[in-house]
Amino acid sequence: MTLFEKLEENLYDKNELTRILLEFDHMLESLHNHGFCIYDFDPKKIILDQGKLTFNSFKYVLNDIGVSQNMKAINIYQLSKIGLMAYNNTLVDGKMNQEHFDFIRNQLEKFNSQGLIPEDVYEYYEEIFRRLNVCYMNDYLLKKEQDKNSNQNTNVMKKSLATEIGRAYAKEDNEGAFVNILFLPSILTLLYLIGLIIYIFVIK
């Protein structure tokens, strides 16, 4: 089975599309780390290895003369283009030039006009085409999840701290009330005794 066929049978299953694209992204990063780049992104030339994307899936479309940062970026743009089109129920060969890039950048909202692209993935494409922050999809989504968890932990800590401060104030208030309850009657009793002594010994 080719990648084209795999994508074609899952065009209307957005969760499976996302899984396939993340798998491709992971393989792309691994290939780059080993000094390879993909010179042909035609999904019909990428063969699944027992239903999965492996190094062997790309052996006919690889370039092993060394990979530059520029080639890494082009490969990431090519994969992003395939993803954008697949979410919109269309398959393309992934070719990327300045004209393709400018078209996608200017029409990005239209690619998601019906909300076909998962929110986090769409934000990744904005990062790639709008902010020119070239990164792998797996890395972007992982960092976003870590940031989200970090913010949640911070909020929990703030709530916990506020609760502890509240308890401390409540404790102080309770202690103050306890002191008042004991102190005021004592003062009143003492004043009563002084008044009684004055009355008995002085006034009489």
Side-chain angles (χ1 to χ4, degrees), residues 1-2 6 19 23 46-57:
M1 173 183 279
T2 65
K6 183 71 171 179
R19 190 198 67 76
E23 185 180 0
I46 298 172
I47 312 299
L48 298 185
D49 186 8
Q50 297 183 351
K52 295 182 179 180
L53 287 168
T54 68
F55 180 86
N56 289 330
S57 300

Side-chain angles (χ1 to χ4, degrees), residues 21 30 33 36 50 52 60 65 68 70 90 100 109 111 116 121 130-131 135 145 148 154 163 171 178 182:
L21 293 169
S30 180
N33 289 339
F36 296 94
Q50 297 183 351
K52 295 182 179 180
Y60 299 115
I65 62 174
S68 65
N70 187 52
T90 304
H100 294 145
E109 289 92 346
F111 282 112
L116 295 175
V121 177
R130 288 281 173 75
R131 302 181 185 91
C135 57
E145 185 64 24
K148 179 180 177 182
T154 300
T163 301
K171 182 179 180 182
F178 182 69
L182 292 178

Side-chain angles (χ1 to χ4, degrees), residues 12-30:
Y12 299 96
D13 185 342
K14 304 308 177 186
N15 290 332
E16 183 62 15
L17 273 181
T18 302
R19 190 198 67 76
I20 295 169
L21 293 169
L22 285 171
E23 185 180 0
F24 197 159
D25 177 86
H26 180 72
M27 278 303 308
L28 183 62
E29 182 176 10
S30 180

Side-chain angles (χ1 to χ4, degrees), residues 4-179:
F4 181 92
E5 292 168 327
K6 183 71 171 179
L7 290 170
E8 188 175 44
E9 72 178 22
N10 289 285
L11 282 181
Y12 299 96
D13 185 342
K14 304 308 177 186
N15 290 332
E16 183 62 15
L17 273 181
T18 302
R19 190 198 67 76
I20 295 169
L21 293 169
L22 285 171
E23 185 180 0
F24 197 159
D25 177 86
H26 180 72
M27 278 303 308
L28 183 62
E29 182 176 10
S30 180
L31 291 170
H32 287 167
N33 289 339
H34 285 86
F36 296 94
C37 63
I38 300 176
Y39 68 85
D40 192 340
F41 263 76
D42 186 345
K44 293 179 180 178
K45 296 179 182 178
I46 298 172
I47 312 299
L48 298 185
D49 186 8
Q50 297 183 351
K52 295 182 179 180
L53 287 168
T54 68
F55 180 86
N56 289 330
S57 300
F58 302 92
K59 62 183 179 180
Y60 299 115
V61 297
L62 288 182
N63 186 334
D64 62 355
I65 62 174
V67 56
S68 65
Q69 288 299 119
N70 187 52
M71 276 306 304
K72 285 183 181 181
I74 291 173
N75 277 183
I76 290 172
Y77 288 132
Q78 288 171 304
L79 178 53
S80 297
K81 180 182 177 183
I82 287 177
L84 275 171
M85 298 311 234
Y87 282 118
N88 285 272
N89 310 325
T90 304
L91 295 178
V92 295
D93 58 15
K95 290 180 180 178
M96 179 63 72
N97 57 30
Q98 191 62 46
E99 183 181 351
H100 294 145
F101 181 91
D102 291 339
F103 174 76
I104 290 173
R105 189 177 187 185
N106 294 330
Q107 303 294 323
L108 196 57
E109 289 92 346
K110 291 185 178 180
F111 282 112
N112 196 36
S113 60
Q114 296 178 353
L116 295 175
I117 305 173
E119 182 179 352
D120 288 347
V121 177
Y122 180 72
E123 290 175 359
Y124 166 73
Y125 291 143
E126 284 188 314
E127 200 74 16
I128 292 292
F129 290 106
R130 288 281 173 75
R131 302 181 185 91
L132 306 183
N133 178 21
V134 182
C135 57
Y136 300 102
M137 187 190 292
N138 278 283
D139 289 347
Y140 175 82
L141 295 180
L142 179 61
K143 184 178 184 305
K144 184 171 182 181
E145 185 64 24
Q146 289 173 339
D147 291 344
K148 179 180 177 182
N149 291 336
S150 177
N151 289 336
Q152 288 178 342
N153 290 338
T154 300
N155 289 336
V156 168
M157 289 177 64
K158 286 180 179 178
K159 289 180 181 178
S160 177
L161 181 60
T163 301
E164 290 302 319
I165 292 173
R167 286 176 181 167
Y169 275 120
K171 182 179 180 182
E172 288 181 5
D173 289 345
N174 289 338
E175 289 176 348
F178 182 69
V179 169

